[in-house]
Amino acid sequence: VPLALEVILAPRWLSESARGAMWITPEEVLLANALWVSERANPYFILQRRKGHGRGGGITGLLVGTLDVVLDSSARVAPYRILHQTGESQIFWNIACGSSRKEITEHWEWLETNLLQTLSIFDNDDDITTFVKGKIQGIIAEENKSGKPQEDEDPGKFREAELKMRKLFGMPEEEKLVNYYPCSYWKGRVPRQGWIYLSVNHLCFYSFLLGKEVSLVVQWTDVTQLDKNATLVFPESIRVSTRGTEHFFSMFLNINETFKLMEQLANIAMRQLLDNESFSADRSLPKPCKTLKNVSALKRDLDARAKNERYRALFRLTQDERLDGHTDCTLWTPFAKMHVVGQMFVSNNYICFASREEDLCQLIIPLREVTIVEKADSSSVLPSPLSISTKNKMTFLFANLKDRDFLVQRISDFLQRTPDSPSTPPSLPPSPPVLGLGEMPQNQHYSPSLPTAKKGLLQIYQQDVPEELGPKVTREKMKEESWNIHFFEFGRGVCMYRTSKTRELVLNGIPESLRGELWLLFSGAQNEMATHTGYYASLVEQAMGKCTLATEEIERDLHRSMPEHHAFQNEMGIAALRRVLTAYAYRNPTIGYCQAMNIVTSVLLLYCTEEEAFWLLVALCERMLPDYYNTRVVGALVDQGVFEELTRECLPLLYEHMQDLGVISTISLSWFLTLFLSVMPFDSAVLLVDCFFYEGIKVIFQVALAVLHANMDQLLSCSDEGEAMTILGRYLDNVVNKQTVSSPIPHLHALLTSGNNPPPEIDVFELIKASYEKFGSLRADVIEQMRFKQRLKVIQSLEDTAKRSVVRAIMTESAFSIEELEELYVLFKAKHIMSCYWGASSTAAERHDPSLPYLEQYRIDSGQFTQLFSALAPWSCGLHTNTLSSRLFRLLDQNKDSLINFKEFVTGLSGMCHGDMTEKLKLLYRLHLPPALCPEEAESALEAAQFFTDDDMPQEEKPKDYKYYLRMWAKEKEPKKESIKDLPRMNQEQFIEMCKTLYNMFSEDPMEQELYHGIATVASLLLRIGEVGKKFTNNGSKKTEVQLPPAVDALQPEREDSSGEGGSGQSLVSKALAEAQLETPPATAAGSDEEAKDDTSVSSYSVVSAGSLQCEDIADDTVLIGCASGDAVDRRRGSVPDADWSITFEQVLASFLTETSLVDYFEKKHDIQSKITACKSLRAVERQISTSSDLDFSLNTH
C-alpha cells in the first residue's frame, strides 16, 4: 500500500529528463520517507534521492528501480526532489524535482541563498508555508512566461496582466505595461510575495496572501535613487528610493534584467522632467525575423533603444541612426596581416566593426562611400567571406559570417535607399522643421568666398615662426610625417582603421595642420557635414538678423571669447564666431546659447572652417556632452557628481577632506563645461581636446583625477575652500606645452595668480601620461552607469530647488504655511506630469515652457483643476462641485489660455481656506459673475475687456512686449487693495445661481438647518432690496427687451446699454448663460416635479417657482427662494428673470452679516493639511477626465 500510495502521490516526471531540474507546483506528500533517502536538510527544506538511483539501496532499491523501468515514461518519477517542511508538521510539500544531483543541487543552493534568511524572520509556520508556495508558483509562472511561446496563449497572458494592472491600480488605457515579474516586497521585516508591474510611468506592486493585501504605486518621476545591492537582511535586492520612503524588492529570477528595465524607465521619466519629452513608442523598429518570447512590444522597443544608444555612442553616430542588427565575424587587417575577431553592425547608413578585444581595431564604413558588396568564394581557411569596396579604393574583407545571404540582402536594401553623393547635384539636406529650406535666400551674411569659410583662423593669422622655435617646428614636421605614414598604412578619411596605434599618435598631440580634419573624423561630425551640404549656409541666412534672448547673450559674450588671441581681436574672427553661435541657437532652440559655448566654439574656429566648427559644435552639444549646455547645465552637474563619486573611489582620503571644505563641486564645473580651456593655458588645453574627441569624456575625468592626485599633499593640508582653489588654480595655470610651435598666448588667469614665486611648470604630456597610468582603467560603460545614478539625484535636486523658489515667491501672498505650499506644489506638479503622459486637451510642450519663471512653468487644465478642487477645496457642493470648480477655473484663468499656473491655483484656494468673511464672500460673488459664470465664454472681446476693467483685472488681447511685462511686474509689487465698490452689480439670474451654490454648499454641514434658514432669510431680504433698487433706475427701455421670446432675448446683451449703474449687471450676462437659463424646455418639465417634491417642505418664506432654476443640481430637500416678498407677481414657470433687478456686493455683505450662522460659517478657518494627506494617501492613481469614458474603462478592465 505505501508503494502504491507513493506512486499515486508522487509528481509525474513527464519526460523532463531532457530539461533537467525544474520547479513544480507545490504538491502535498503524506509519506516523506517511503522509497526516498534524505541527503541534505535544513529547518525548512529536504533534498531527497529516490532509492534505486545511485549507490546502494538493497532489495528496496532494486524493487523501486525495477518499477521505474517497467512503468512507461509518462509515469516515471524524477530521481531527485526537494520537499518543504515546517517544524513538527507531518505534511510535506514537493516543490522541485530533477534528473541529476548536479541539477537539483543548483535549485537547493538557490533556496539556501535566497530564502533561508528570509524565512527565519517569520513567526508562524503557516505564514512560512504560504510564502514558500507563493514564491515557487511565481517562479513557475515566470519560467512559463519566458519559455517557448504558445502562439495564442502567451500574448493573451501578457494582455491579461496589463488589464489586471489597470484594474488593480486604477490606470487608464493610455498607461502601457512594459513587463511584470514575481518578487518579494519588504513591508517592515516581512517579505510579501507578489508581482511587480513596470509600466511606462509607474512602478506598481500587488500581493494578496492570507487575506492581507499589499498595494504600492510609485511614479517614476518621484524616484530619486535606484540601487541593486545585497545585504545580510536582503539577499540581492533592488532599492527604490523616493523623497520620503525606501522600497525594497528581492527574490527576482533575473534581477539584472529587471534592474536594467527599471533604469531605462526612470531615465525616460528624468528626461520628461528635464525637457518634457514624454515617452512615445518607436514606430520604425525593424520587424523581428523570428517569433520572440513573450515580450511586449514596449519591452522590445526599450531593448532596441538601449542597443541603439550603445551603438551610436560606440561609433559616434547621429541620433537618427537605427541599428538593424549585428553578427559575429572576423575582419582581415592588412596592416597586421591577421583576421581580427569581432562584431559587424549594420544600420540604415553605416556598416561598422568593433573587435572583441578593446582598441585592437574599429571601423566605420558609411554606405554612401560603398561601391561594391560581393560574396567571395568560401574555403576552409576563409569561410563565408564578404568583400566591401569603397570610393577611395579601399577593400574590406569580412569572414565567418553566419547568415551571409541574409546580411547581403539587408545591406543591398539599405544601399538602394542611400542617396547619391551629395556633391552631385548639390541638393539641400533634411533639416529641422522650423526651417523652410525649399527656397534658398540670397547670401547676405555667409558665402563660400569668406576667408573663414575656406580655412581656420589660425591659418589666416599665421605669424612667422621665430627662429628660436626651429627645433619645435622640426618636431611638428615629424608628427605630421608620423600621421602620413599612419594614413598610408591604415587609410585616411571616414573609413580609416582605428587601432591602438591611432590612440598613441593622438596622445602625442595632433599636429596643428591636421587638427581640424581629425577632430571632425573622431567626433563623427565629418559624416553629418557630408550628408548635409549647404545646410549651414542656409541656416546662417535664416538666423542672422533675428533678435532673440539667445542672440543678445551671444553679442554680450563675443568679445569675452579668447580676447588674448589675436584671431579674436578683429572683426573677422568675431563675425565668424557670431555666425556659428547664432546658427546653432536657431537650429536647436531648446539649448539656444549657454555660457562656455563661446569659449569652446572659438577654439574650434581656430583650426576649422566655419561650417566644420558648426558641425563640431553640434557633435559636442548633442552627442558628446549631453545636456551640458541647456539652461540648467544638467549634464555638467551630472558629471560633477560622477567626478565626486570617482574621487571617493580612487582618492578616498582626499575626498573626505574636500567634502568638509565643499570644494569638489565648486572647482570642477568650469573644468567640464569648457574642457579645461578656461583654466589651463590654451596650447596645453587644446591637447586635452584632441584626446577628448578621440576617447570621449573619460579623458576629462582621468585628467581631473590626475590633477587632484598631483596636489594631494597640499590639498590635505589646506584649511579652507579659498586656499584649495588657489592651489589648484596655480597648478593648472602652469601646465605648459613645451612642443607648441605657436607663439605663446598669455593666459590671463596665470598672469593674475603667478605672484612673486611662480610654481614649477608641469608638462601637459606628463600630466596626460600620468592620467592614463593611474586612472586609465575607467570604462565608458561604467561612466554611463554612474551618470544614470547622478542624473536622478541632480534632476530631483533641481526640482526641489524649483519648488523652494516657487514657495518663496508666493508665500507672502498666501496664508498657507511653507510646508502646505510645498505639498500643494507637489500635488499640482503631479497633475501636470500626468497630463504629459495620459493625453489632454493640449500638448505637453504648450503646458511647459522652461524659459518661464519656475512659478509659471507647470500648468493644468480645467479637468485636472476639478480633480484638485474636489479633493482640497473646503466648499464641497455635492453634484454642484464640478460646476463651481469650472467657474473658479475660468475666474483664475486670466489670460484665457485654458490653463492655470501654480500661483493662480494657490490664490483661489487660499481665499477659500484662510480668507476672512469679506474675502470669501467676494470670491463667491465673483464666481457668479462673468467670466466665471459663462460656460461657453460667448461674450465678445469688447465685453470681456469691459468686464475686466470693472473687475480690476486688466487683460490685453494684443501681443505683449517686454514693457508691458515690466509694467505688470511693477504693478504686482505694489500693494493693491481692491475696494468692494469696484465689483460690478449682480443681476437676478446670477443671484439665483449663487443661491443654488449656497444650498449645495451647506448640504453636508452639521449646522445644515440653521444655515438653510439663514440663507433663506438673506435671499428674501436681498430680493426685496433688488425690487426697491428697480425704482431708482431708469428701466423704461428694458421693459420691451424683457418681453422678447427667449431665442431673441439671448442675442440682446450685445445691444444693451450698460451706461446706467442699474443695468450694468445685466449687460454683462453672456449669451451662453442666457441660452442655458432661458431656452431649456426640458428643465421646465423637470422643474415641475422638483417643485412638487419641494413644496411639501417649503417654509412660509419660499415664494419663487423652480422654473428659473436649473433643478437637476438641487437636492430633494432644498428650500427654494422667492423672487419677491408676498406682494410679488407670481411668474409663470419658464419666464425670463427680471432684467432690471440688481444688487451690489455691499448689499450682499450687509445682508449676510445679519445672520449669525452664516457669519460663523464664512469666518471659520479650514485646515487643508488633512485634505492634502488624504489626497496623497490615495492608493490608486486618479484617472484623467480627458481620456475615454468610465463605461469604456470598466469594459476594458473586466
Side-chain angles (χ1 to χ4, degrees):
V1 174
L3 176 64
L5 184 65
E6 179 63 11
V7 170
I8 292 165
L9 291 177
R12 304 303 177 220
W13 193 9
L14 300 177
S15 303
E16 281 297 338
S17 54
R19 278 185 60 182
M22 60 180 285
W23 300 107
I24 56 173
T25 304
E27 294 185 34
E28 202 171 314
V29 177
L30 298 180
L31 298 167
N33 292 317
L35 311 182
W36 294 85
V37 180
S38 296
E39 295 205 330
R40 299 172 76 168
N42 61 42
Y44 306 106
F45 301 104
I46 306 169
L47 191 156
Q48 292 186 331
R49 173 178 54 81
R50 192 162 170 80
K51 289 177 182 177
H53 290 271
R55 294 179 184 173
I59 191 74
T60 316
L62 282 173
L63 178 64
V64 176
T66 307
L67 183 66
D68 286 349
V69 170
V70 170
L71 289 172
D72 70 325
S73 61
S74 65
R76 285 182 196 160
V77 177
Y80 293 93
R81 70 181 184 181
I82 297 175
L83 302 180
H84 164 61
Q85 64 158 8
T86 52
E88 301 300 318
S89 170
Q90 295 302 307
I91 298 174
F92 296 81
W93 296 89
N94 194 356
I95 59 171
C97 64
S99 59
S100 73
R101 187 187 304 275
K102 182 184 174 188
E103 289 158 350
I104 202 73
T105 303
E106 286 177 9
H107 281 46
W108 177 264
E109 287 172 352
W110 188 90
L111 289 169
E112 286 195 322
T113 306
N114 289 282
L115 287 190
L116 277 191
Q117 189 76 32
T118 305
L119 296 178
S120 63
I121 293 168
F122 288 95
D123 301 324
N124 187 316
D125 286 353
D126 290 342
D127 287 353
I128 292 174
T129 302
T130 305
F131 178 80
V132 170
K133 286 165 69 178
K135 182 71 203 166
I136 300 302
Q137 285 164 347
I139 291 171
I140 292 166
E142 174 68 6
E143 283 181 344
N144 290 341
K145 183 162 76 80
S146 59
K148 262 195 166 180
Q150 298 159 3
E151 290 297 322
D152 298 319
E153 189 183 354
D154 280 357
K157 276 189 179 177
F158 190 87
R159 177 77 184 135
E160 190 182 316
E162 188 167 47
L163 291 171
K164 185 179 180 184
M165 177 201 77
R166 289 184 191 147
K167 188 176 178 184
L168 285 172
F169 306 106
M171 304 278 182
E173 218 171 301
E174 287 83 352
E175 187 66 4
K176 302 295 182 190
L177 178 65
V178 181
N179 215 346
Y180 61 106
Y181 305 93
C183 70
S184 294
Y185 169 58
W186 292 77
K187 199 160 174 63
R189 291 178 64 246
V190 182
R192 301 300 176 101
Q193 179 61 29
W195 290 85
I196 191 168
Y197 297 87
L198 305 179
S199 71
V200 172
N201 303 298
H202 298 89
L203 177 155
C204 309
F205 177 85
Y206 185 78
S207 168
F208 186 80
L209 286 174
L210 298 173
K212 292 177 184 171
E213 185 182 50
V214 177
S215 181
L216 173 76
V217 177
V218 177
Q219 280 188 328
W220 289 118
T221 47
D222 290 337
V223 173
T224 56
Q225 202 170 341
L226 265 182
D227 291 306
K228 185 175 65 172
N229 49 22
T231 61
L232 283 173
V233 182
F234 302 120
E236 207 171 24
S237 61
I238 293 175
R239 179 178 63 176
V240 180
S241 307
T242 61
R243 283 179 180 79
T245 53
E246 289 185 340
H247 306 286
F248 288 90
F249 302 91
S250 64
M251 286 179 272
F252 291 93
L253 271 184
N254 189 339
I255 193 167
N256 291 329
E257 180 194 326
T258 312
F259 186 67
K260 195 181 288 184
L261 181 57
M262 285 180 167
E263 279 188 329
Q264 281 183 286
L265 292 167
N267 230 343
I268 290 168
M270 291 309 105
R271 177 60 51 194
Q272 189 176 307
L273 284 176
L274 185 59
D275 52 21
N276 251 66
E277 273 184 23
S278 57
F279 178 83
S280 56
D282 189 345
R283 305 290 177 200
S284 62
L285 282 177
K287 292 281 181 286
C289 50
K290 57 184 178 185
T291 309
L292 291 168
K293 294 176 182 176
N294 184 31
V295 176
S296 72
L298 277 178
K299 175 75 168 69
R300 188 172 149 254
D301 183 342
L302 287 168
D303 289 345
R305 279 170 195 241
K307 284 181 182 174
N308 277 328
E309 281 168 19
R310 283 196 297 272
Y311 169 63
R312 290 194 294 255
L314 182 60
F315 298 105
R316 305 274 166 78
L317 302 175
T318 55
Q319 296 298 321
D320 55 355
E321 204 56 33
R322 296 278 185 276
L323 179 63
D324 189 66
H326 56 89
T327 182
D328 292 334
C329 68
T330 58
L331 171 66
W332 172 251
T333 50
F335 52 87
K337 301 289 186 289
M338 63 183 281
H339 293 281
V340 177
V341 178
Q343 280 194 318
M344 176 196 278
F345 301 82
V346 179
S347 59
N348 41 328
N349 294 301
Y350 298 91
I351 299 168
C352 300
F353 174 86
S355 58
R356 189 176 295 167
E357 187 182 331
E358 203 176 357
D359 290 331
L360 192 59
C361 181
Q362 197 187 71
L363 185 65
I364 300 169
I365 310 171
L367 291 179
R368 65 177 187 276
E369 296 290 324
V370 173
T371 53
I372 301 169
V373 178
E374 58 182 348
K375 294 183 276 189
D377 295 333
S378 287
S379 67
S380 56
V381 182
L382 205 62
S384 304
L386 181 68
S387 168
I388 297 175
S389 303
T390 62
K391 291 174 184 172
N392 61 352
K393 305 291 185 268
M394 289 180 77
T395 301
F396 304 96
L397 187 63
F398 297 91
N400 292 285
L401 292 157
K402 284 180 185 170
D403 199 347
R404 185 175 59 162
D405 294 342
F406 177 73
L407 181 67
V408 170
Q409 184 58 49
R410 291 303 291 159
I411 294 173
S412 300
D413 292 345
F414 286 128
L415 279 171
Q416 285 173 3
R417 296 178 213 160
T418 304
D420 292 334
S421 174
S423 56
T424 57
S427 56
L428 282 173
S431 60
V434 290
L435 306 175
L437 290 181
E439 54 217 44
M440 190 67 172
Q442 290 298 313
N443 289 347
Q444 300 169 349
H445 301 280
Y446 175 83
S447 77
S449 60
L450 282 170
T452 50
K454 294 175 184 169
K455 41 175 114 166
L457 288 169
L458 216 55
Q459 280 181 282
I460 297 170
Y461 291 100
Q462 205 155 28
Q463 297 173 332
D464 292 332
V465 180
E467 286 180 21
E468 67 268 17
L469 292 176
K472 292 184 179 179
V473 174
T474 309
R475 181 173 283 191
E476 186 79 358
K477 292 287 181 194
M478 286 169 65
K479 278 188 189 177
E480 286 178 24
E481 192 54 38
S482 298
W483 275 98
N484 286 330
I485 293 166
H486 186 274
F487 293 146
F488 178 76
E489 199 176 341
F490 297 89
R492 188 167 188 169
V494 284
C495 299
M496 179 173 82
Y497 291 98
R498 301 165 197 215
T499 67
S500 50
K501 177 75 175 162
T502 318
R503 176 199 268 178
E504 279 175 36
L505 287 174
V506 171
L507 295 188
N508 288 329
I510 298 174
E512 289 192 350
S513 58
L514 293 172
R515 195 162 261 147
E517 176 190 338
L518 292 172
W519 283 0
L520 283 166
L521 177 65
F522 297 143
S523 65
Q526 178 81 56
N527 288 316
E528 247 183 316
M529 192 169 82
T531 52
H532 289 73
T533 312
Y535 176 77
Y536 172 70
S538 172
L539 205 57
V540 170
E541 296 310 321
Q542 294 179 65
M544 294 300 287
K546 287 186 169 58
C547 185
T548 63
L549 187 61
T551 56
E552 286 177 21
E553 289 177 348
I554 289 167
E555 287 300 323
R556 190 185 61 218
D557 284 353
L558 281 176
H559 295 278
R560 303 178 191 172
S561 310
M562 294 189 70
E564 66 274 19
H565 199 291
H566 51 269
F568 294 99
Q569 290 166 358
N570 60 75
E571 187 50 37
M572 185 190 290
I574 295 292
L577 184 59
R578 179 187 290 116
R579 284 191 291 272
V580 173
L581 291 172
T582 306
Y584 186 77
Y586 189 67
R587 167 193 162 88
N588 191 344
T590 54
I591 288 179
Y593 171 77
C594 169
Q595 277 188 331
M597 282 169 75
N598 59 320
I599 294 169
V600 175
T601 309
S602 58
V603 173
L604 300 178
L605 279 167
L606 289 175
Y607 299 99
C608 307
T609 66
E610 271 186 54
E611 187 174 9
E612 290 168 347
F614 170 79
W615 287 113
L616 277 169
L617 186 61
V618 169
L620 276 173
C621 296
E622 295 171 20
R623 295 197 298 280
M624 298 188 74
L625 297 173
D627 301 322
Y628 259 57
Y629 298 112
N630 59 22
T631 47
R632 298 191 277 183
V633 294
V634 171
L637 293 172
V638 167
D639 280 353
Q640 216 174 308
V642 172
F643 180 52
E644 286 196 32
E645 205 173 321
L646 288 170
T647 308
R648 187 176 62 199
E649 287 177 15
C650 305
L651 307 167
L653 279 175
L654 184 60
Y655 171 79
E656 286 178 22
H657 183 64
M658 293 187 75
Q659 280 295 98
D660 294 338
L661 299 180
V663 176
I664 296 181
S665 56
T666 316
I667 56 169
S668 58
L669 189 62
S670 62
W671 296 3
F672 289 104
L673 270 175
T674 64
L675 305 174
F676 284 98
L677 286 163
S678 62
V679 293
M680 208 182 266
F682 168 73
D683 292 322
S684 305
V686 81
L687 289 169
L688 298 184
V689 178
D690 290 344
C691 300
F692 167 75
F693 276 123
Y694 186 77
E695 292 270 40
I697 195 65
K698 71 173 246 158
V699 173
I700 305 300
F701 284 121
Q702 284 175 198
V703 172
L705 287 168
V707 168
L708 292 186
H709 185 267
N711 292 278
M712 193 190 295
D713 294 338
Q714 287 176 280
L715 289 170
L716 285 171
S717 61
C718 66
S719 55
D720 61 50
E721 183 183 352
E723 191 181 345
M725 291 181 72
T726 304
I727 290 165
L728 290 167
R730 294 186 72 179
Y731 177 88
L732 289 168
D733 290 338
N734 288 278
V735 175
V736 296
N737 175 6
K738 295 175 180 176
Q739 298 178 15
T740 182
V741 291
S742 305
S743 49
I745 301 163
H747 185 47
L748 296 182
H749 191 257
L751 293 174
L752 296 171
T753 59
S754 60
N756 298 327
N757 302 312
E761 292 181 339
I762 301 98
D763 188 342
V764 67
F765 291 102
E766 290 300 318
L767 177 62
I768 294 171
K769 186 181 172 186
S771 80
Y772 272 90
E773 285 172 356
K774 293 185 175 71
F775 309 106
S777 58
L778 273 182
R779 291 171 53 89
D781 56 341
V782 175
I783 289 172
E784 278 309 312
Q785 184 69 27
M786 294 168 86
R787 274 178 164 177
F788 163 73
K789 284 186 181 176
Q790 294 300 328
R791 196 175 292 119
L792 285 179
K793 284 183 190 171
V794 166
I795 292 178
Q796 296 293 17
S797 169
L798 288 170
E799 291 295 309
D800 290 341
T801 304
K803 178 173 72 178
R804 287 193 293 272
S805 301
V806 167
V807 168
R808 272 200 304 272
I810 209 172
M811 64 188 198
T812 53
E813 301 173 30
S814 158
F816 291 121
S817 68
I818 291 176
E819 291 76 18
E820 287 171 345
L821 282 172
E822 285 186 350
E823 292 188 0
L824 285 172
Y825 179 81
V826 169
L827 291 172
F828 186 89
K829 191 178 90 175
K831 282 291 170 203
H832 165 88
I833 288 171
M834 274 188 204
S835 72
C836 298
Y837 55 65
W838 281 352
S841 54
S842 59
T843 65
E846 289 170 351
R847 291 158 174 268
H848 184 254
D849 181 357
S851 65
L852 289 171
Y854 287 134
L855 200 58
E856 299 167 31
Q857 282 190 12
Y858 293 118
R859 296 181 289 174
I860 58 173
D861 63 18
S862 177
Q864 293 157 334
F865 177 77
T866 297
Q867 291 173 6
L868 286 175
F869 181 89
S870 305
L872 300 171
W875 294 350
S876 58
C877 299
L879 296 173
H880 199 65
T881 302
N882 287 4
T883 310
L884 194 64
S885 77
S886 299
R887 288 175 187 166
L888 181 57
F889 182 85
R890 286 190 289 273
L891 185 67
L892 297 173
D893 179 21
Q894 297 186 21
N895 60 356
K896 296 295 173 198
D897 62 353
S898 300
L899 297 168
I900 63 166
N901 62 37
F902 182 65
K903 182 180 179 181
E904 293 164 338
F905 169 72
V906 168
T907 303
L909 204 57
S910 182
M912 280 187 281
C913 292
H914 295 295
D916 58 20
M917 181 179 178
T918 306
E919 282 181 62
K920 288 178 180 173
L921 281 178
K922 195 192 295 181
L923 178 61
L924 188 69
Y925 185 85
R926 274 183 164 177
L927 287 176
H928 297 85
L929 296 172
L933 196 67
C934 60
E936 294 166 23
E937 299 184 23
E939 71 265 21
S940 67
L942 178 66
E943 287 173 322
Q946 190 180 19
F947 172 76
F948 288 135
T949 309
D950 291 343
D951 205 20
D952 196 27
M953 289 161 59
Q955 298 285 313
E956 295 184 21
E957 294 297 322
K958 63 182 181 183
K960 302 167 180 58
D961 60 4
Y962 71 94
K963 291 178 184 173
Y964 167 79
Y965 287 111
L966 285 173
R967 283 200 306 276
M968 288 298 101
W969 181 74
K971 203 167 185 180
E972 275 182 17
K973 294 296 173 191
E974 290 173 12
K976 53 183 181 207
K977 196 70 183 170
E978 183 187 51
S979 165
I980 57 175
K981 293 184 178 178
D982 296 333
L983 292 167
R985 298 177 74 86
M986 179 180 275
N987 65 27
Q988 194 173 74
E989 193 173 17
Q990 294 157 356
F991 173 67
I992 290 167
E993 286 294 329
M994 188 168 80
C995 290
K996 281 166 59 181
T997 299
L998 287 164
Y999 281 135
N1000 283 291
M1001 197 185 292
F1002 301 151
S1003 63
E1004 295 172 14
D1005 197 277
M1007 304 288 290
E1008 186 179 346
Q1009 289 306 315
E1010 291 86 342
L1011 289 167
Y1012 278 158
H1013 183 82
I1015 194 58
T1017 308
V1018 166
S1020 185
L1021 175 62
L1022 284 169
L1023 284 163
R1024 284 199 292 274
I1025 289 170
E1027 288 294 328
V1028 171
K1030 278 165 56 176
K1031 297 171 185 174
F1032 297 98
T1033 59
N1034 179 16
N1035 55 11
S1037 61
K1038 301 286 171 78
K1039 293 293 183 189
T1040 54
E1041 288 185 11
V1042 171
Q1043 302 306 321
L1044 290 170
V1048 178
D1049 185 68
L1051 305 173
Q1052 297 308 308
E1054 291 180 28
R1055 287 180 273 153
E1056 287 174 6
D1057 176 20
S1058 59
S1059 57
E1061 189 187 1
S1064 65
Q1066 180 64 24
S1067 71
L1068 296 167
V1069 182
S1070 69
K1071 287 185 276 184
L1073 186 63
E1075 286 165 9
Q1077 290 293 327
L1078 306 178
E1079 295 184 311
T1080 49
T1084 308
S1088 60
D1089 295 340
E1090 288 289 334
E1091 189 182 19
K1093 278 190 239 172
D1094 291 333
D1095 275 347
T1096 58
S1097 59
V1098 159
S1099 56
S1100 58
Y1101 45 74
S1102 303
V1103 281
V1104 136
S1105 82
S1108 56
L1109 298 175
Q1110 290 180 335
C1111 299
E1112 63 271 13
D1113 287 334
I1114 302 180
D1116 290 351
D1117 57 350
T1118 302
V1119 182
L1120 297 174
I1121 305 302
C1123 66
S1125 53
D1127 60 339
V1129 180
D1130 182 22
R1131 292 169 178 256
R1132 64 180 176 83
R1133 196 176 297 117
S1135 64
V1136 295
D1138 190 341
D1140 297 332
W1141 186 99
S1142 69
I1143 52 172
T1144 65
F1145 176 71
E1146 294 104 303
Q1147 291 165 342
V1148 171
L1149 180 60
S1151 303
F1152 270 75
L1153 288 169
T1154 61
E1155 289 294 322
T1156 312
S1157 59
L1158 293 176
V1159 172
D1160 292 345
Y1161 180 86
F1162 284 104
E1163 283 289 356
K1164 185 169 58 181
K1165 297 282 187 271
H1166 293 274
D1167 175 30
I1168 200 169
Q1169 192 59 53
S1170 56
K1171 287 182 179 285
I1172 291 174
T1173 307
C1175 199
K1176 281 162 63 180
S1177 66
L1178 280 176
R1179 222 174 34 195
V1181 179
E1182 293 166 316
R1183 232 176 120 253
Q1184 281 282 309
I1185 284 180
S1186 58
T1187 59
S1188 54
S1189 70
D1190 290 338
L1191 177 62
D1192 294 340
F1193 180 63
S1194 62
L1195 289 172
N1196 285 329
T1197 51
H1198 286 86

